[in-house]
Amino acid sequence: MTEPDDHATPRPRRAAPAAGRARLWQRLSVVLLLVGAVGAIWYTNAWLTARFSENTRVRAELRLALYTGNLLSELQRTAVVPLLLARDPALIGSLSGKDYATISARLITAQKDIGAASILLLDSSGRVVGATDRKLLGTNHVLAPFYVEALRTNDTVFTVSPSSTGGFDFTYSRAVVSDGRSLGVIVVGADLVRLERSWAGISDAVAVSDSEGRIILTTEPRWRGLPFDEALKLRSAPTAIERAFQVTADWSSRSADAYVKGKAVMQSEVRVPFRGWRMTLFTTYESIRERVNAFLALEIMAFAILLAAGFYVLSRRARVQSAQYMRESADLRALNARLTREIAERERMQRELRVAEQTVQQASKLAALGEMSAGVSHELNQPLAAMKTYMAGARLLLERGRGEEALSSFHRIDDLLDRMGAITRQLKSYARKGGEAFEPVDLRVALSGALTMMEPQLRNRRVRLQRSLPRDPVLVFCDRIRLEQVIVNLIRNAMDATKSVRDPSIELVVDQLSHAHLSVRDNGPGVTDLEKLFEPFWTTKKPGEGTGLGLAISSGIVADFGGRLTAHNGEAGGAVFDVELPLWEPQAARMYPQAAE
């Protein structure tokens, strides 16, 4: 059989693994790119959202500080007006003389100079005698808080009262006193509605609540006069802040499923250092999401372009590989035909190799038979000599007419013939080729047959033989002849190992656990190189005394039986060979051919 030429067609051999690795790397690159894109987009979204949210929160806090400052400035500016007007001699003279003709005009002038929302002058009966809004002249406010509270104290009084337009009036009032007598009350309204209009043009929503939680100033008209929690439950959709409120059932108590981190609105709150007021600023995340989505769109576009470029490169490479595969297909077909021929050739060689192995095993047995021939001829010569003696005696007895005594000599000759037949049958059985005839074999019987064949050699060497056998059969499923060959080889090796020992001893132990075990132990010098022990043609014997095939063949035979042959040196010296075979099971018999009858 010729070996394949490694240089004739190298491309078909390497193309498949290389192509497989290339496809694997391509898929891995695409997966890594997709994972990287998803990770980058996720990280960019989280980082930009946090950054823009923080910027929005900072701007909201700055606006709150500005709004709070404007509100306090307006209140403080208005708070000093009643004190100035209460000391105006013209107003005091008008109340004392009950001359109110020019009071309204004077109050209108003061309103324009001061920038107040409204100014009222009430006489001692609570009737409006002067007003910047002439429609209010003559109305009576004797029960109004700003009038009652002002008469009770000598300081300026701040009151918040509902207005007729649906909002609230924020007024500072002070009693007009002359000569220790209260002539009336001056009431100045703070223009906080102007601040509401300025807030509405900049922020999404602003609300100012008093110490009781009631909203008194807000850019959302529907919230005025309501408690803070109730106001936030209202639904309407004209503005961005209200659209954000509608995406959640109750964003003030739990996170909403909208925009950023589950919240639809960013709520910032600050305490106004005035009568326990609090200012709350609401800012939607709409602008944040728009800016973040713009960046994400650019990033996704970049990854899409990169992925498209990658697919373009992969498609070009795939076209090149496809053309290469087409060029290589002819070489692959030729190589396939060649490999088919080589496989058939190898199978033929394997069959011939198995025949050669069996021939080598048979030669090993015949070599053993050659070594046994001297002992066997000695065993046969003794019965032959005895038979010659018995025949001569029987002849004399017959000549003398002593037939019964001659018959006993013939019985003894028959026994000797049976013994010689047993010896020749055992040798003939051992010399016969073993095959694949598997049958249940008692390991004790196989050991006894091997000892019968080795009996002449054992007797000539005077080797002390110790046997340890169980009472019950130890059945293994194998070829009996080949098993006896293994045992004979192990006993011969033990005998060879004890040639230099003064008192040679061989111990044979058969036992049964999960497997059947046969141990052959000797008291020789042991084995020096256990690793090479079962290699073919390796031997420690002198040239001409051994071929080095006995243990290699025995190991192969035991392996064919599904077992293993091992060796080690004993603790007390000498070598120990262990044969381990699986126990016979009835269902295992179907896997092997039966022994020939």
Side-chain angles (χ1 to χ4, degrees):
M1 182 184 67
T2 59
E3 294 294 330
D5 188 0
D6 293 338
H7 302 283
T9 55
R11 182 179 299 173
R13 291 187 175 186
R14 301 176 183 175
R21 288 193 296 269
R23 286 193 296 270
L24 179 61
W25 278 109
Q26 291 171 5
R27 294 173 182 174
L28 185 61
S29 300
V30 172
V31 171
L32 290 177
L33 180 60
L34 292 176
V35 172
V38 172
I41 293 172
W42 178 83
Y43 177 77
T44 303
N45 176 65
W47 184 75
L48 290 178
T49 300
R51 183 180 179 85
F52 291 154
S53 298
E54 184 62 25
N55 293 339
T56 302
R57 186 176 298 279
V58 170
R59 289 197 298 270
E61 292 176 354
L62 291 176
R63 285 199 297 269
L64 275 177
L66 177 62
Y67 295 165
T68 302
N70 293 339
L71 178 60
L72 292 176
S73 176
E74 181 66 24
L75 292 174
Q76 291 173 0
R77 187 174 62 83
T78 308
V80 299
V81 176
L83 177 62
L84 298 176
L85 293 179
R87 297 178 180 179
D88 188 358
L91 296 181
I92 295 174
S94 298
L95 290 174
S96 299
K98 298 183 179 182
D99 183 8
Y100 310 124
T102 61
I103 290 180
S104 295
R106 189 174 181 85
L107 294 179
I108 292 172
T109 302
Q111 178 191 18
K112 293 179 180 180
D113 295 338
I114 298 171
S118 63
I119 302 177
L120 300 177
L121 180 63
L122 283 71
D123 59 10
S124 57
S125 63
R127 184 171 61 90
V128 177
V129 295
T132 55
D133 185 2
R134 296 182 182 275
K135 296 179 181 179
L136 300 177
L137 292 174
T139 58
N140 195 287
H141 299 278
V142 67
L143 299 179
F146 56 78
Y147 178 79
V148 176
E149 296 295 333
L151 293 179
R152 292 178 179 177
T153 180
N154 293 328
D155 295 329
T156 302
V157 177
F158 177 79
T159 56
V160 179
S161 57
S163 66
S164 58
T165 58
F168 290 90
D169 291 330
F170 306 92
T171 58
Y172 284 94
S173 58
R174 189 181 181 91
V176 180
V177 181
S178 177
D179 297 333
R181 184 170 60 89
S182 296
L183 302 178
V185 174
I186 185 71
V187 181
V188 180
D191 190 8
L192 302 184
V193 178
R194 175 173 55 85
L195 297 179
E196 285 184 346
R197 290 193 295 269
S198 65
W199 297 341
I202 299 176
S203 302
D204 292 322
V206 181
V208 178
S209 57
D210 58 12
S211 59
E212 298 177 355
R214 181 183 56 174
I215 297 177
I216 54 178
L217 282 175
T218 179
T219 56
E220 299 295 325
R222 299 182 62 186
W223 291 0
R224 292 191 183 98
L226 297 177
F228 198 84
D229 295 338
E230 293 182 8
L232 298 183
K233 294 179 181 179
L234 296 178
R235 296 292 181 266
S236 59
T239 64
I241 186 66
E242 290 173 336
R243 287 195 300 272
F245 289 151
Q246 288 178 347
V247 301
T248 178
D250 188 4
W251 59 268
S252 60
S253 61
R254 61 178 181 268
S255 298
D257 185 14
Y259 296 116
V260 177
K261 294 182 180 180
K263 293 186 178 180
V265 176
M266 179 186 296
Q267 179 178 346
S268 303
E269 188 176 79
V270 68
R271 178 178 174 276
V272 180
F274 181 79
R275 294 179 174 268
W277 287 9
R278 304 190 71 85
M279 179 179 291
T280 305
L281 176 65
F282 301 97
T283 305
T284 64
Y285 285 104
E286 232 177 302
S287 60
I288 297 175
R289 281 261 52 97
E290 289 176 357
R291 286 184 289 173
V292 172
N293 291 340
F295 279 98
L296 293 181
L298 293 176
E299 190 172 18
I300 292 173
M301 185 181 299
F303 279 114
I305 294 174
L306 183 61
L307 190 60
F311 279 122
Y312 174 73
V313 173
L314 294 179
S315 63
R316 287 199 59 183
R317 183 176 298 176
R319 288 196 298 270
V320 173
Q321 291 178 352
S322 177
Q324 183 179 359
Y325 293 154
M326 292 178 65
R327 290 192 300 268
E328 294 175 351
S329 60
D331 296 337
L332 290 175
R333 286 193 294 270
L335 180 61
N336 186 28
R338 184 175 181 180
L339 290 176
T340 302
R341 292 193 299 270
E342 291 181 357
I343 290 172
E345 184 68 16
R346 288 181 184 272
E347 290 177 350
R348 185 183 64 81
M349 293 298 295
Q350 288 177 357
R351 289 193 297 269
E352 294 179 357
L353 180 60
R354 284 194 292 269
V355 174
E357 288 178 352
Q358 292 179 358
T359 304
V360 172
Q361 294 178 10
Q362 183 67 12
S364 176
K365 291 194 292 182
L366 293 177
L369 285 174
E371 294 181 9
M372 298 177 191
S373 60
V376 171
S377 71
H378 178 72
E379 289 292 320
L380 293 178
N381 285 333
Q382 288 180 352
L384 287 173
M387 288 172 60
K388 186 176 181 180
T389 302
Y390 287 139
M391 288 292 292
R395 183 185 302 168
L396 291 175
L397 291 174
L398 289 175
E399 291 176 353
R400 296 175 182 178
R402 298 164 61 181
E404 293 181 0
E405 294 181 8
L407 184 61
S408 63
S409 296
F410 288 128
H411 284 305
R412 292 176 182 176
I413 292 173
D414 187 60
D415 293 338
L416 291 174
L417 289 173
D418 290 338
R419 181 180 177 187
M420 293 173 64
I423 294 174
T424 55
R425 281 195 303 272
Q426 188 69 26
L427 292 175
K428 181 180 178 181
S429 175
Y430 184 74
R432 183 167 58 90
K433 272 192 176 182
E436 299 295 335
F438 285 74
E439 60 183 349
V441 177
D442 188 351
L443 188 56
R444 303 176 306 168
V445 176
L447 176 60
S448 178
L451 289 175
T452 301
M453 287 184 287
M454 295 294 297
E455 184 177 355
Q457 293 180 342
L458 291 172
R459 186 182 298 112
N460 292 336
R461 282 285 312 280
R462 295 181 181 179
V463 178
R464 183 163 53 90
L465 190 65
Q466 300 177 6
R467 286 183 287 182
S468 177
L469 305 178
R471 294 182 179 178
D472 298 327
V474 181
L475 295 179
V476 295
F477 196 67
C478 63
D479 181 5
R480 181 180 60 83
I481 297 174
R482 299 174 70 193
L483 178 59
E484 290 180 358
Q485 179 184 354
V486 172
I487 299 174
V488 167
N489 286 338
L490 295 180
I491 296 175
R492 287 177 57 204
N493 284 338
M495 292 178 62
D496 293 338
T498 57
K499 283 182 178 180
S500 60
V501 179
R502 183 175 181 180
D503 185 13
S505 174
I506 299 176
E507 182 181 358
L508 304 173
V509 179
V510 176
D511 60 357
Q512 175 180 346
L513 297 173
S514 60
H515 289 70
H517 294 271
L518 169 63
S519 296
V520 180
R521 304 179 184 180
D522 60 63
N523 60 346
V527 182
T528 57
D529 196 343
L530 292 172
E531 294 182 357
K532 297 182 179 180
L533 187 60
F534 297 103
E535 293 183 3
F537 305 106
W538 186 87
T539 179
T540 59
K541 299 178 182 179
K542 297 179 181 180
E545 295 184 359
T547 61
L549 293 174
L551 290 178
I553 294 174
S554 299
S555 178
I557 294 173
V558 174
D560 291 341
F561 297 161
R564 61 176 182 171
L565 173 60
T566 59
H568 64 277
N569 292 320
E571 297 179 358
V576 180
F577 288 86
D578 291 325
V579 178
E580 179 180 322
L581 295 172
L583 295 173
W584 175 70
E585 297 179 0
Q587 59 270 22
R590 304 190 187 101
M591 301 173 60
Y592 302 94
Q594 299 298 316
E597 294 295 337

